């Protein structure tokens, strides 16, 4: 089946550091990738929709200058947490929808997630 | 914005029992997903439904579009089924998912 990878799987950094998380679709192309965040014991929340070749669409309350998204190709989207602070500590997970016959399907494949801890 | 409610929040059952997890949502959707999340955080997509019923092994998922309700059933439950089960809905084809809070299932041997 379709595979989505994320790197790194875990990162611990000091406050003020910028952290980049990569999301790759390994065996399919995706014009759209999604970034989600999950705080401990809470449900997943959509942060932003990453569109290949155009600007990302951010959900209400998500700072676009803090969570920088770049979808440079049909298989790679990156999320950069700029000047991370302890409150940004969370589990970040991406998903991607395969591009088939030019139409966006509803199927989503999830990456394994990245656990970010900011000290 | 769609509101997704799951019940129960927590469920502990004995091995072999038939399990039902329910999900309701407030606004029409293009698809509903049932996901499984293990303690490490990784998410596995179990089903994607837009109508009717799907079966995979011991798992069955149903959806009633008119009533905006879906159920996930596990037959002959096993301790390895212990996980958090999450219902998620999608509005349009290019929309991200809206998630329920999940059902924490524990199957005791």
């Amino acid at each position: 089946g379709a595979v989505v990878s994320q790197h790194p799987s875990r990162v611990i950094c000091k406050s003020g550091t910028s952290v980049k998380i990569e999301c790759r679709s390994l065996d399919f192309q995706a014009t759209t990738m999604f970034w989600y965040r999950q705080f401990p014991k809470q449900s997943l929340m959509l942060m932003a929709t990453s569109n290949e070749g155009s600007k990302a669409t951010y959900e209400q309350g998500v700072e676009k200058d803090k969570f920088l998204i770049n979808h440079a190709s049909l298989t790679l989207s990156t999320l950069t947490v700029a000047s991370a602070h302890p409150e940004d500590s969370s589990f970040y997970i991406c998903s991607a929808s395969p591009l088939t016959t030019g139409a966006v399907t509803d199927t989503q494949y999830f990456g394994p997630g990245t656990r970010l801890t900011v000290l | 914005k769609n509101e997704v409610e799951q019940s129960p929040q927590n469920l502990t059952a004995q091995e072999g029992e038939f399990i039902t997890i329910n999900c309701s949502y407030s606004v029409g959707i293009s698809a509903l997903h049932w996901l499984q999340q293990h303690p490490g955080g990784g998410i596995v997509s179990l089903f994607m439904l837009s109508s009717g019923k799907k079966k995979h092994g011991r798992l069955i998922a149903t959806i009633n579009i008119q009533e905006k309700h879906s159920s996930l059933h596990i037959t002959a439950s096993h301790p390895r089924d212990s996980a958090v089960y999450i219902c998620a809905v999608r509005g349009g084809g290019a929309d991200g998912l809206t998630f329920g809070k999940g059902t924490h299932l524990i199957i005791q041997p």
Side-chain angles (χ1 to χ4, degrees):
Chain A
V3 176
V4 175
S5 71
Q6 271 185 252
H7 179 79
S9 58
R10 183 181 294 271
V11 59
I12 301 172
C13 67
K14 292 183 179 179
S15 185
T17 307
S18 290
V19 177
K20 181 191 278 189
I21 303 170
E22 292 186 348
C23 176
R24 292 183 186 271
S25 56
L26 296 184
D27 52 2
F28 65 94
Q29 293 183 325
T31 54
T32 303
M33 292 184 175
F34 303 94
W35 286 97
Y36 301 93
R37 178 168 57 181
Q38 184 178 36
F39 292 109
K41 300 193 184 300
Q42 295 190 24
S43 61
L44 285 146
M45 295 289 290
L46 176 66
M47 297 176 66
T49 302
S50 170
N51 301 297
E52 188 267 337
S54 65
K55 290 183 179 180
T57 304
Y58 291 83
E59 295 299 299
Q60 194 171 13
V62 178
E63 299 173 58
K64 62 180 180 181
D65 294 330
K66 180 166 188 64
F67 299 99
L68 306 168
I69 290 172
N70 186 332
H71 194 153
S73 76
L74 287 171
T75 59
L76 173 64
S77 175
T78 60
L79 168 68
T80 300
V81 184
S83 187
H85 289 281
E87 59 265 27
D88 299 321
S89 298
S90 186
F91 185 64
Y92 293 87
I93 193 163
C94 70
S95 72
S97 288
L99 172 68
T100 57
T101 63
V104 174
T105 70
D106 280 336
T107 306
Q108 286 201 28
Y109 297 96
F110 289 84
T114 296
R115 193 161 300 282
L116 171 64
T117 302
V118 185
L119 303 175
Chain B
K1 186 174 164 71
N2 223 326
E3 301 289 333
V4 181
E5 298 286 339
Q6 274 186 247
S7 63
Q9 280 188 287
N10 298 283
L11 178 58
T12 300
Q14 295 298 121
E15 183 173 357
E17 286 188 40
F18 181 81
I19 303 298
T20 296
I21 300 170
N22 295 302
C23 175
S24 61
Y25 51 94
S26 58
V27 179
I29 60 172
S30 65
L32 181 144
H33 296 249
W34 280 103
L35 310 170
Q36 183 190 54
Q37 186 172 32
H38 284 281
I43 290 178
V44 174
S45 181
L46 299 175
F47 294 103
M48 184 191 71
L49 294 163
S50 54
S51 65
K53 175 179 174 178
K54 286 189 175 180
K55 184 175 189 293
H56 182 70
R58 295 182 293 105
L59 300 176
I60 303 167
T62 63
I63 188 168
N64 184 318
I65 296 294
Q66 287 72 33
E67 295 189 2
K68 296 185 177 65
H69 181 270
S70 175
S71 293
L72 175 68
H73 304 286
I74 304 175
T75 62
S77 59
H78 190 276
R80 64 175 175 266
D81 298 326
S82 299
V84 177
Y85 292 83
I86 303 170
C87 169
V89 301
R90 194 171 191 182
D95 292 347
L97 295 175
T98 301
F99 297 84
K101 292 184 177 180
T103 295
H104 189 188
L105 174 66
I106 297 173
I107 304 296
Q108 295 177 334

